[in-house]
């Protein structure tokens, strides 16, 4: 789960949709269920990390190139509020090549994330490295929905 090809082909949306179906069709906490444990394994592959803005800026400054786009899952919920993501390095290049993102300067990438201070920042591993920084919309984000259902998938840099 979580390769650059998934993002460029749109397969990532099928994966997000499948996770959302689990939340829609299963009641209550999922922490002890087989389906919950399978979903958690898939979410862990992204090693999602909650970031502060300064931590996100470090990722951007350490990247070779960056690009911006509306967060990928919004196309599943077009009525949801707009937030944007920053793609880095190979993912940025691939998404621009597919017409799914626009290259931007590092300053513009930071400004993009600054636009939505009310929403949390999460960086995800794609094809093995942290290449997607999303201003999540928690009500429709698989990570935040998973946490609400007892599937702990989000980590923070200051955790022991
Ligand atoms: S809000 Fe969550 S599920 Fe949607 S693109 Fe961002 S990280 Fe992925």
């Amino acid at each position: 789960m979580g390769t650059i090809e998934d993002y460029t082909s749109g397969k990532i949306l099928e994966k997000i949709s499948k996770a959302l179906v689990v939340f829609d069709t299963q009641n209550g906490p999922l922490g002890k269920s087989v389906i919950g444990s399978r979903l958690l394994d898939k979410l862990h592959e992204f090693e999602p990390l909650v970031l502060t803005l300064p931590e996100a800026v470090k990722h951007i400054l350490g990247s070779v190139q960056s690009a911006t786009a509306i967060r990928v899952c919004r196309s599943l919920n077009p009525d949801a509020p707009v937030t944007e993501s920053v793609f880095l390095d190979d993912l940025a290049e691939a998404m621009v090549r597919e017409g799914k993102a626009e290259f931007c300067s590092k300053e513009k990438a930071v400004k993009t994330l600054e636009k939505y201070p009310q929403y949390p920042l999460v960086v995800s591993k794609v094809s093995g490295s942290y290449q997607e920084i999303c201003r999540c919309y928690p009500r429709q984000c698989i990570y935040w929905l998973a946490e609400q259902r007892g599937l702990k998938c989000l980590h923070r840099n200051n955790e022991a």
Side-chain angles (χ1 to χ4, degrees):
M1 192 162 170
T3 64
I4 289 174
E5 201 268 334
D6 287 338
Y7 280 70
T8 53
S9 67
K11 219 182 288 174
I12 189 68
L13 290 174
E14 286 170 34
K15 293 181 172 182
I16 292 173
S17 294
K18 280 188 188 158
L20 293 175
V21 167
V22 172
F23 300 131
D24 286 345
T25 56
Q26 307 287 314
N27 293 320
L30 298 171
K32 293 193 174 139
S33 68
V34 173
I35 199 162
S37 141
R38 278 199 201 122
L39 177 54
L40 192 55
D41 285 347
K42 290 183 193 296
L43 295 176
H44 277 153
E45 289 175 24
F46 290 89
E47 298 182 41
L49 253 184
V50 179
L51 298 179
T52 61
L53 185 60
E55 287 168 342
V57 171
K58 268 193 203 168
H59 278 271
I60 292 168
L61 294 180
S63 69
V64 174
Q65 58 193 350
S66 53
T68 57
I70 304 293
R71 69 175 188 281
V72 293
C73 73
R74 186 171 180 268
S75 63
L76 298 172
N77 299 289
D79 294 333
V82 170
T83 65
E84 289 165 90
S85 295
V86 169
F87 302 121
L88 304 175
D89 299 332
D90 292 345
L91 179 61
E93 188 174 330
M95 291 297 269
V96 170
R97 204 169 47 234
E98 285 299 312
K100 295 185 174 187
E102 287 180 12
F103 278 128
C104 65
S105 65
K106 292 180 181 185
E107 291 74 15
K108 168 106 188 287
V110 173
K111 279 197 185 341
T112 296
L113 298 182
E114 283 174 342
K115 279 199 251 172
Y116 313 94
Q118 69 273 45
Y119 297 117
L121 286 166
V122 172
V123 65
S124 299
K125 277 196 176 173
V126 181
S127 288
S129 54
Y130 282 121
Q131 301 194 79
E132 180 197 30
I133 305 172
C134 182
R135 265 300 184 190
C136 301
Y137 179 57
R139 289 172 67 177
Q140 291 169 352
C141 174
I142 48 171
Y143 299 141
W144 296 93
L145 291 171
E147 294 252 322
Q148 280 172 19
R149 303 294 287 277
L151 303 175
K152 171 129 184 63
C153 59
L154 289 167
H155 299 279
R156 289 159 179 82
N157 279 323
N158 57 6
E159 279 175 346

